[in-house]
């Protein structure tokens, strides 16, 4: 059975597989396009629409349209459509279901085993939510793969083997990521990664919307247009079109109309670049941070700088990277690279599932798997050996008391496992001390950094687990507690805390479930009940 790779994007999604000839190919959607807007229109109580028509429906029926849902993954968010409860997971599941349905229809293959891409910066909760979205869609999620790793797999497939270091600049619709990777034929390893999950093409659109609106209001000062939600939705769509047009044309024009009033607004590429210069500069600040971090790890030369993500098509991106960093950035199949690489990863996973561990040296098993997957044996062995190593996406730590004796209690997070530590990571024990006299229990709270930059302040972190070390007699204050963090390749965090005078300990394994199994089951029924219409 073919395993599919799915790029579940903030604004556009895409599904691909590796065909019999070994090429990664896109399965087109119901209207014959390679990518599908990640937009869901809850048309009626039993009918949903996904894709381009859903995007257009945002104009007519904005309250029943959900877009940019990826930005809410991993958060509790309850939506209600006609009495059916929805979450970011279930809305994403509807997108996945439509991608799978259209792909099955187009390829005549069964779409059940999949891998789904996630941004490199996704934390534990976001990853778990993505897995659950796949389950709700009725899919078997073999694994998740970071988007830059997928881009690198596609890059490797088209450029051939050899040792290379690449810099991936991914400016998508709603997120921005930079990642440095090493490729060497048998292994792809992430050197470091950074990004801003609230910065993307949609922010460039918003600047054009502001511009169109202010020009229109200047021409029609009495107009009520700026209070109309429908009008603003329409401007957003026009703005995205103008932005895309300005990637090839020097200037674009738009007729803004509202209630019989009109304004003709002209926007040149230069003006557009001025309106958005600070946004671009934010991507360069992050680029600079990533270059610095890579240098600390001994990586100072990049064989290729790849632009993935649709917004990397804006000419100012490559121009700025050349000017500020001397990079000769290349567009790397910006809409499809991630899905095609995910398809390669899907093939690797399907081999590994059938050939766990030492089976790779068992010739009979290898030949059987080669038969099943329609590959030759050498290829099966090569795929089974392929290693992918990533880094810790965000820092993890323990909540500690910051204030001194007699002061009001202020807590902060002491990060123990730093972002960008290579995985698997096994840290040496970290020493903490109790703060109160006669403690008979120690509460250990594990927190994860929330934003891109590590900060000790509580609001910049999210609590992901807690537990008590207890069962000892009252301890003197300042008693030592050792806390050891480790994280495996899949990002599962294990924490071991030991009270050193008695040896009493606590083991925590952090796997955020997000939705419970029962909730996943319920959501699956809800999602399966809808008729899908493209
Ligand atoms: P995501 O993976 O976040 O969904 P994509 O990588 O598909 O995003 O990129 C979508 C973004 O790229 C959107 O903001 C879209 O407007 C923008 N985009 C697509 N084509 C162009 C273009 N020719 N010029 C500028 N921006 C573009
Ligand atoms: Mg993307």
């Amino acid at each position: 059975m073919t395993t599919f790779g799915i790029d579940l994007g903030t604004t556009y999604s895409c599904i691909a597989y590796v065909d019999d000839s070994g090429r990664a190919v896109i399965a087109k959607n119901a209207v014959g396009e390679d990518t599908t807007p990640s937009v869901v229109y809850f048309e009626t109580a039993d009918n949903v629409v996904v894709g381009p028509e859903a995007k257009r429906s945002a104009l007519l029926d904005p309250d029943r349209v959900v877009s940019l849902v990826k930005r809410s993954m991993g958060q509790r968010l309850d939506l209600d459509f006609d009495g059916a409860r929805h979450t970011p997971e279930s809305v994403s599941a509807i997108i996945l279901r439509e991608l799978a349905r259209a792909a099955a229809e187009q390829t005549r293959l069964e779409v059940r085993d999949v891998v789904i891409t996630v941004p490199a910066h996704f934390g534990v909760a976001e990853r778990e939510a993505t897995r659950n979205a796949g389950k709700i869609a009725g899919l078997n999620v073999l694994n998740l793969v970071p988007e830059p790793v997928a881009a690198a797999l596609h890059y490797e497939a088209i450029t051939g083997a050899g040792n290379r270091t690449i810099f991936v600049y991914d400016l998508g619709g709603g997120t921005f990521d930079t990642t440095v990777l090493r490729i060497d034929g048998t292994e792809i390893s992430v050197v470091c990664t950074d990004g801003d999950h609230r910065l993307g093409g949609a922010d460039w659109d918003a600047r054009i919307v502001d511009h169109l609106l202010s020009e229109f209001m200047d021409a029609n000062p009495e107009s009520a247009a700026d209070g109309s939600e429908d009008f603003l939705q329409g401007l957003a769509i026009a703005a995205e079109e103008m932005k895309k047009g300005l990637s090839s044309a020097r200037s674009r024009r738009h007729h803004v109309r509202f209630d019989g009033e009109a304004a003709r607004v002209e926007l040149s590429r230069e003006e557009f670049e001025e309106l958005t210069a600070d946004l671009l500069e934010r991507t360069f600040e992050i680029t600079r941070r990533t270059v610095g971090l890579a240098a600390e790890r001994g990586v100072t030369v990049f064989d290729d700088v790849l632009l993935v993500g649709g917004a990397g098509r804006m000419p100012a991106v490559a121009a700025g990277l050349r000017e500020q960093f001397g990079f000769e950035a290349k567009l790397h199949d910006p809409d499809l690279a991630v899905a095609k690489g995910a398809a390669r990863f899907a093939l690797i996973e399907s081999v590994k599932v059938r050939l766990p561990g030492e089976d790779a040296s068992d010739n009979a098993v290898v030949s059987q798997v080669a038969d099943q997957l329609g590959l030759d044996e050498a290829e099966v062995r090569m795929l089974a050996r392929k290693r992918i190593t990533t880094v810790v996406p965000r820092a993890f730590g323990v909540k500690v008391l910051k204030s001194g004796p007699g002061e009001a209690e202020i807590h902060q997070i002491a990060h123990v496992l730093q972002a960008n530590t290579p995985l698997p990571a096994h840290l040496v024990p970290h020493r903490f001390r109790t703060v109160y006299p006669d403690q008979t229990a120690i509460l250990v709270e594990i927190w994860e950094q929330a934003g891109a930059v590590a900060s000790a302040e509580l609001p910049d972190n999210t609590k992901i687990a807690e537990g008590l070390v207890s069962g000892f007699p009252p301890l003197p204050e300042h008693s030592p507690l050792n806390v050891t963090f480790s994280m495996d390749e899949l990002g599962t965090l294990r924490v071991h805390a030991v009270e050193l005078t008695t040896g009493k300990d606590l083991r925590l394994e952090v796997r955020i479930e997000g939705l419970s199994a029962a909730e996943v089951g319920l959501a699956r029924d809800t999602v399966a009940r809808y008729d899908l219409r493209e």
Side-chain angles (χ1 to χ4, degrees):
M1 186 166 52
T2 307
T3 305
F4 285 76
I6 300 180
D7 172 7
L8 182 61
T10 314
T11 52
Y12 289 90
S13 295
C14 183
I15 178 166
Y17 63 105
V18 176
D19 72 6
D20 292 341
S21 70
R23 266 187 341 128
V25 290
I26 302 293
K28 291 190 190 299
N29 67 14
V31 291
E33 286 163 358
D34 288 340
T35 62
T36 301
S38 307
V39 182
V40 178
Y41 175 32
F42 290 86
E43 190 177 36
T44 66
D46 37 36
N47 195 71
V48 289
V49 184
V50 175
E53 197 196 317
K55 197 171 172 182
R56 285 191 291 276
S57 304
L59 278 178
L60 307 167
D61 210 355
D63 294 343
R64 300 182 70 91
V65 173
V66 182
S67 44
L68 303 179
V69 70
K70 190 173 176 180
R71 284 187 162 173
S72 308
M73 286 299 256
Q75 296 163 21
R76 293 297 302 207
L77 175 71
D78 278 313
L79 302 163
D80 186 292
F81 293 101
D82 307 294
R85 180 179 167 250
H86 280 282
T87 57
E89 288 92 329
S90 70
V91 175
S92 300
I94 292 173
I95 299 168
L96 291 170
R97 200 186 135 203
E98 170 56 19
L99 293 169
R101 190 202 62 78
E105 186 175 276
Q106 201 228 328
T107 61
R108 306 269 158 228
L109 296 167
E110 188 188 348
V111 184
R112 191 174 63 90
D113 291 348
V114 300
V115 302
I116 305 175
T117 65
V118 288
H121 66 259
F122 257 20
V124 182
E126 292 90 333
R127 282 170 204 249
E128 215 46 51
T130 305
R131 272 184 204 277
N132 281 333
K135 280 190 209 158
I136 294 168
L139 299 168
N140 179 33
V141 183
L142 294 185
N143 208 344
L144 305 175
V145 58
E147 288 159 13
V149 169
L153 279 165
H154 177 53
Y155 168 84
E156 186 183 34
I158 56 177
T159 54
N163 291 352
R164 288 201 191 80
T165 305
I166 59 174
F167 189 104
V168 176
Y169 175 107
D170 180 353
L171 185 57
T175 58
F176 174 65
D177 279 292
T178 48
T179 309
V180 176
L181 301 106
R182 273 211 195 93
I183 301 178
D184 79 354
T186 57
E187 183 169 351
I188 292 190
S189 53
V190 175
V191 175
C192 58
T193 187
D194 201 340
D196 184 339
H197 57 284
R198 297 227 151 243
L199 179 63
D203 298 298
W204 272 255
D205 302 348
R207 294 293 168 83
I208 301 185
V209 168
D210 292 347
H211 177 72
L212 293 174
L213 187 62
S214 82
E215 295 283 302
F216 178 81
M217 295 306 289
D218 284 352
N220 306 279
E222 307 295 313
S223 173
D226 52 352
S228 160
E229 194 56 39
D230 291 4
F231 173 74
L232 294 175
Q233 290 269 3
L235 277 193
I237 291 183
E240 187 184 0
E241 284 313 308
M242 280 184 106
K243 173 190 72 176
K244 290 187 188 172
L246 286 170
S247 291
S248 45
R250 308 288 324 182
S251 153
R252 295 306 258 184
R253 177 180 305 148
H254 181 64
H255 292 272
V256 188
R257 290 193 190 82
F258 181 77
D259 237 7
E261 296 154 334
R264 211 177 79 165
V265 184
E266 183 97 27
L267 184 64
S268 71
R269 191 187 289 169
E270 285 68 32
E271 285 173 281
F272 169 58
E273 288 174 356
E274 266 165 44
L275 290 174
T276 54
D278 60 312
L279 298 174
L280 190 65
E281 194 46 46
R282 276 167 63 191
T283 74
F284 294 152
E285 269 164 40
I286 293 167
T287 301
R288 205 163 288 122
R289 233 159 52 199
T290 312
V291 168
L293 205 53
E296 282 172 28
R297 310 251 151 113
V299 174
T300 50
V301 179
F302 305 107
D303 298 300
D304 267 309
V305 176
L306 308 181
L307 303 177
V308 298
R313 287 205 183 81
M314 294 184 291
V317 170
L321 287 171
R322 183 178 306 115
E323 208 171 283
Q324 298 204 22
F325 302 93
F327 288 168
E328 287 306 322
K330 290 185 208 141
L331 277 171
H332 175 60
D333 210 352
D335 297 323
L336 309 180
V338 169
K340 287 182 176 172
R344 299 238 161 253
F345 187 74
L347 182 64
I348 295 169
E349 285 301 294
S350 66
V351 168
K352 288 191 172 167
V353 164
R354 291 171 173 86
L355 266 182
E358 52 291 352
D359 282 2
S361 51
D362 184 330
N363 291 337
V365 186
V366 170
S367 120
Q368 192 191 347
V369 173
D371 264 4
Q372 280 171 5
L373 296 174
L375 301 170
D376 57 51
E377 291 177 19
E379 207 172 350
V380 167
R381 283 204 183 79
M382 199 264 294
L383 292 170
R385 269 206 317 271
K386 190 116 189 151
R387 274 173 49 81
I388 293 182
T389 56
T390 57
V391 294
V392 177
R394 305 175 182 178
F396 291 88
V398 175
K399 187 167 104 175
V400 296
L401 200 61
K402 173 187 180 185
S403 42
E407 295 171 16
E409 292 199 348
I410 300 174
H411 289 94
Q412 66 178 19
I413 305 304
H415 286 134
V416 174
L417 180 55
Q418 306 300 336
N420 284 305
T421 305
L423 291 177
H426 300 282
L427 301 191
V428 295
H430 236 79
R431 178 70 51 86
F432 293 94
R433 289 185 184 275
T434 60
V435 280
Y436 309 107
D438 299 327
Q439 267 184 253
T440 53
I442 306 167
L443 177 64
V444 179
E445 288 190 15
I446 309 301
W447 289 59
E448 180 183 33
Q449 164 197 329
V453 183
S455 148
E457 304 299 318
L458 290 195
D460 298 329
N461 292 271
T462 320
K463 185 163 94 177
I464 54 169
E466 65 174 24
L468 272 185
V469 190
S470 59
F472 38 75
L475 296 174
E477 57 188 304
H478 308 307
S479 294
L481 176 83
N482 267 2
V483 181
T484 312
F485 275 64
S486 65
M487 188 178 264
D488 65 16
E489 286 93 337
L490 296 176
T492 305
L493 177 67
R494 292 188 180 80
V495 179
H496 185 205
V498 190
E499 196 288 303
L500 290 178
T501 53
T502 60
K504 292 285 179 197
D505 69 343
L506 163 78
R507 287 178 194 274
L508 291 172
E509 180 171 312
V510 185
R511 286 220 48 190
I512 294 194
E513 288 305 336
L515 301 179
S516 68
E519 286 173 309
V520 168
L522 276 177
R524 190 193 301 213
D525 294 342
T526 306
V527 166
R529 257 201 310 275
Y530 288 110
D531 285 332
L532 278 171
R533 204 159 65 66
E534 58 287 343

